[in-house]
Amino acid sequence: MLSMEHLIHDGALLADRVAVVTGGGGGIGAATAHLFARHGAQVVIADVDAGLAQRTADEITTSGGSAVPYIADVRDADQVDEFARWVLDRFGRVDVLVNNVGHWLHHPGSFVDTDPQQWDELYRINLHHVFLVTRAFLPAMIGRHRGAIVNVSSVEGLRGYPEDPVYAAFKAAVIQFTRSLAVQVGGDGVRVNAIGPDVTETLQVPYSQWLSPDEQAQWPQWVPVGRMGVPEDQASVILFLASDLSAFVTGHTIPTDGGTGAAGGWFRSSRRAGREWTNRPIAP
Ligand SMILES: NC(=O)c1ccc[n+]([C@@H]2O[C@H](COP(=O)([O-])OP(=O)(O)OC[C@H]3O[C@@H](n4cnc5c(N)ncnc54)[C@H](O)[C@@H]3O)[C@@H](O)[C@H]2O)c1
């Protein structure tokens, strides 16, 4: 294991580690792939979008890092098994796995209007692949008594999400899978943690396009740290959980939300003289 001094001063938190990032072509996954490579990892970018995977890998290699794209739909068990064989044949090991793929898919309205096919789609894009990809790589980690898995859940797995209880249920399941697997494999040298992002501009939540300039000026009211998140905000916490800096941390989910979880229903407000906060926003 690297010494803490080395970790802090050399900036190479993942030197010589092989790191798989699912959904590494865009958004949080791409930022994670970039940051991992800057910290010395050999990054494998698994993405269903060939163009995104290639572009992110090219950006990394152009700037001196190590990255290879691999085209796979992580919802497909055969593709996942083939992917794992490819990684292990090529690199001989895997040190870090980031299960980053996930999507809200649609805003279904009322739960009573949803159907089993929609539930199944949400299950496959948010939870099933976490099982598939983890099962595919975990034996190699256990075999070397070394590995770090980081699952990307959501703030919606930590709080009530009225827009889609089914999505929230699967994201909460990622957190419970993280916790339980961490206990199971803790003695095998494998750590398992998660993050719970909120309000981070990416391909699937393009706030800059969704919000008018007036609305964007409201970020300080909505988020305690005063701004929306960017993918790098998530990537840095994923790096922490993937590296030896968190060697004594397992089974946890870090809310990466700019403080929205801590705030609960509290918002900054300028509507009441002498009172900076309200839990009763007049025009939410
Ligand atoms: N952005 C946020 O504010 C936010 C909030 C909560 C949770 N999350 C979670 O963060 C994770 C990353 O989301 P993002 O916002 O960066 O998304 P994104 O849409 O920007 O990126 C997702 C990436 O995954 C790839 N992908 C999609 N389906 C795939 C599949 N079946 N197989 C392989 N690759 C696939 C896409 O091509 C894309 O490159 C997700 O699990 C999401 O639920 C994000």
Side-chain angles (χ1 to χ4, degrees):
M1 184 187 294
L2 299 171
S3 72
M4 197 57 75
E5 195 167 313
H6 173 90
L7 289 173
I8 291 166
H9 293 297
D10 287 10
L13 294 171
L14 298 178
D16 299 325
R17 310 258 169 117
V18 176
V20 168
V21 182
T22 72
I28 293 167
T32 302
H34 276 281
L35 189 59
F36 277 11
R38 287 216 307 279
H39 279 268
Q42 300 174 69
V43 184
V44 183
I45 294 168
D47 207 292
V48 73
D49 186 318
L52 283 178
Q54 187 68 54
R55 189 179 74 190
T56 302
D58 287 348
E59 287 169 359
I60 289 172
T61 49
T62 302
S63 56
S66 168
V68 288
Y70 187 97
I71 314 313
D73 183 337
V74 294
R75 294 169 298 184
D76 184 295
D78 291 339
Q79 290 186 41
V80 167
D81 287 343
E82 198 178 324
F83 169 53
R85 273 196 299 277
W86 183 87
V87 171
L88 297 171
D89 283 351
R90 182 174 174 137
F91 296 97
R93 67 186 197 280
V94 62
D95 301 292
V96 174
L97 166 63
V98 182
N99 284 312
N100 164 68
V101 166
H103 205 293
W104 47 271
L105 294 184
H106 29 64
H107 286 126
S110 170
F111 172 69
V112 295
D113 297 327
T114 63
D115 60 50
Q117 189 186 330
Q118 290 175 336
W119 308 338
D120 193 52
E121 286 170 6
L122 284 165
Y123 167 60
R124 286 166 55 75
I125 196 69
N126 289 298
L127 181 61
H128 186 238
H129 69 84
V130 178
F131 301 156
L132 288 177
V133 182
T134 302
R135 189 188 60 174
F137 285 104
L138 189 55
M141 291 181 166
I142 292 174
R144 295 182 63 244
H145 204 78
R146 172 175 167 143
I149 298 172
V150 184
N151 298 321
V152 180
S153 176
S154 169
V155 68
E156 314 306 357
L158 292 160
R159 68 182 176 195
Y161 181 44
E163 286 211 300
D164 192 348
V166 177
Y167 170 82
F170 292 134
K171 284 299 194 181
V174 170
I175 291 170
Q176 186 63 355
F177 176 65
T178 299
R179 192 181 280 136
S180 303
L181 185 67
V183 177
Q184 188 177 98
V185 299
D188 297 311
V190 181
R191 295 183 301 107
V192 191
N193 289 289
I195 62 166
D198 194 8
V199 289
T200 299
E201 166 130 316
T202 61
L203 301 173
Q204 66 182 258
V205 278
Y207 290 110
S208 299
Q209 293 169 36
W210 284 349
L211 303 177
S212 69
D214 280 354
E215 287 170 323
Q216 290 183 47
Q218 300 289 311
W219 281 114
Q221 274 70 51
W222 299 331
V223 184
V225 301
R227 61 173 175 84
M228 72 172 184
V230 292
E232 290 73 18
D233 291 317
Q234 306 299 331
S236 56
V237 182
I238 295 173
L239 173 65
F240 165 70
L241 293 173
S243 79
D244 293 344
L245 283 180
S246 60
F248 205 54
V249 180
T250 197
H252 287 289
T253 297
I254 299 182
T256 43
D257 58 8
T260 57
W266 286 91
F267 301 91
R268 279 197 184 85
S269 170
S270 54
R271 291 178 183 272
R272 291 189 298 164
R275 303 281 298 273
E276 191 186 352
W277 296 93
T278 181
N279 61 351
R280 289 168 281 119
I282 292 165

